Amino acid sequence: IAVDATPRSPFNHPPIRGAGRSAAPGMLRVSLLSGSGSTMLMGRVSLLRGAARSLVRTPAGLALGRTTGRSHVVQRAQRQLCTKPAAASPTPTPAGGASVPPPSVGWSYAAFAKTNPNLNNLAIATAKTGLADLIVQTVIERKSLSEVDWKRNAVFCLFGACYLGAFQYWYQVNIFCRLFPSIERFTSQSWAAKLTDVPGLTSLMGQTVLDMGVLTFIYLPTFYIFKAGVFSSSWDVQDWGETGVASYRKNWDKDVYDLFRVWVPADLLCFSVPLFMRLPVRHIISFVWTAYLSFTRGSKC
């Protein structure tokens, strides 16, 4: 039986097979022969041990030992780097593989306004009209907070909530879009394109005429009726209506003149800007108009 003990050297010499040949460096060939040559076998084994000791002491053997040691270190580091961390608990996903939206942080006014446009407009209209009257009383009329006429302020708050916040939003957003279906196309154009868009300009004039009619025959009498209700000492709604209509007729000439002077150009602007800017622009103009109305028609007399 012939057994090759072939530890490879760092130089990776291939083993040399065949009897009678000398082994390459770092390689031993031992022949174990069956029969009565036990002495020869023991001698060959002793020779093998001695050769192995000598090989370890050589520079090649030392290099092999260092290489082997480093290889164990490298393998251990590779095992540590390649070890995957413990998997985190999976995030549940809805059916169909849709991604889960990140949780919202805090309260967002933009999200509230987008989700609740009616309520948002109601809050803006109420606060705007009440603040406009309060500024007129404290800044223009120079009243202290203890001298402020809170009934007069309540007139504007209630009027702003009911008319500007609810009714005006309903007819200018819902009714106008049904009566004038080309609103969105016209308002999304550039100003140069709007000036040459005859159907769009016709729609713009129609919206302005309709709004001026609403302001003249609904807005003004409603304001005077609200004012009569707040300042009245009785709870008779009919009495509020009669008093309010009487004030409306009394101030017709001056009020209608001021109304057309302010709101005709304001409507042309409001109904020309993009739809998402329509109510914000109108609220700005309405704030100035409400302050003027408070100054001229806000007091009890």
Side-chain angles (χ1 to χ4, degrees), residues 157-176:
C157 289
L158 291 173
F159 179 70
C162 296
Y163 182 88
L164 301 177
F167 176 73
Q168 180 178 263
Y169 179 86
W170 170 74
Y171 90 84
Q172 286 201 359
V173 174
N174 297 326
I175 302 302
F176 273 28

Side-chain angles (χ1 to χ4, degrees), residues 149 151-152 227 231-233 247 297-301:
D149 189 345
K151 281 190 175 183
R152 168 180 163 180
K227 178 183 174 181
F231 284 107
S232 176
S233 57
S247 299
R297 300 286 184 257
S299 59
K300 183 177 179 180
C301 55

Side-chain angles (χ1 to χ4, degrees), residues 163 171 206-221 248 259-260 267:
Y163 182 88
Y171 90 84
Q207 294 175 73
T208 303
V209 171
L210 179 58
D211 188 54
M212 292 309 300
V214 171
L215 288 173
T216 303
F217 298 105
I218 298 178
Y219 170 83
L220 283 177
Y248 167 65
L259 201 69
F260 273 73
D267 276 352

Side-chain angles (χ1 to χ4, degrees), residues 130-151:
L131 181 62
D133 172 70
L134 189 62
I135 290 176
V136 169
Q137 292 195 58
T138 56
V139 176
I140 298 178
E141 299 177 4
R142 299 185 179 278
K143 294 180 179 178
S144 63
L145 289 178
S146 60
E147 298 173 337
V148 168
D149 189 345
W150 294 109
K151 281 190 175 183

Side-chain angles (χ1 to χ4, degrees), residues 80-284:
Q80 293 174 354
L81 291 174
C82 296
T83 302
K84 294 182 179 180
S89 57
T91 303
T93 56
S99 59
V100 178
S104 59
V105 180
W107 182 80
S108 171
Y109 171 75
F112 169 78
K114 185 177 181 180
T115 309
N116 307 279
N118 296 340
L119 187 59
N120 177 62
N121 186 70
L122 183 69
I124 292 176
T126 306
K128 173 196 67 179
T129 51
L131 181 62
D133 172 70
L134 189 62
I135 290 176
V136 169
Q137 292 195 58
T138 56
V139 176
I140 298 178
E141 299 177 4
R142 299 185 179 278
K143 294 180 179 178
S144 63
L145 289 178
S146 60
E147 298 173 337
V148 168
D149 189 345
W150 294 109
K151 281 190 175 183
R152 168 180 163 180
N153 189 258
V155 171
F156 286 92
C157 289
L158 291 173
F159 179 70
C162 296
Y163 182 88
L164 301 177
F167 176 73
Q168 180 178 263
Y169 179 86
W170 170 74
Y171 90 84
Q172 286 201 359
V173 174
N174 297 326
I175 302 302
F176 273 28
C177 288
R178 294 179 183 178
L179 294 178
F180 309 100
S182 61
I183 285 177
E184 187 172 2
R185 181 194 59 80
F186 177 75
T187 57
S188 62
Q189 299 179 114
S190 64
W191 288 102
K194 290 173 183 174
L195 293 176
T196 59
D197 186 352
V198 176
L201 292 174
T202 304
S203 175
L204 174 62
M205 295 303 298
Q207 294 175 73
T208 303
V209 171
L210 179 58
D211 188 54
M212 292 309 300
V214 171
L215 288 173
T216 303
F217 298 105
I218 298 178
Y219 170 83
L220 283 177
T222 302
F223 167 74
Y224 283 112
I225 291 173
F226 267 87
K227 178 183 174 181
V230 172
F231 284 107
S232 176
S233 57
S234 69
W235 291 94
D236 188 352
V237 178
Q238 184 177 356
D239 184 50
W240 299 352
E242 292 176 356
T243 305
V245 171
S247 299
Y248 167 65
R249 289 176 177 175
K250 176 183 177 182
N251 300 318
W252 164 272
D253 293 338
K254 182 68 166 65
D255 287 349
V256 172
Y257 172 75
D258 291 338
L259 201 69
F260 273 73
R261 186 173 56 171
V262 173
W263 282 107
V264 168
D267 276 352
L268 292 175
L269 174 63
C270 291
F271 299 147
S272 298
V273 298
L275 282 178
F276 70 93
M277 289 293 295
R278 172 172 293 193
L279 286 179
V281 170
R282 193 172 187 88
H283 280 309
I284 294 173

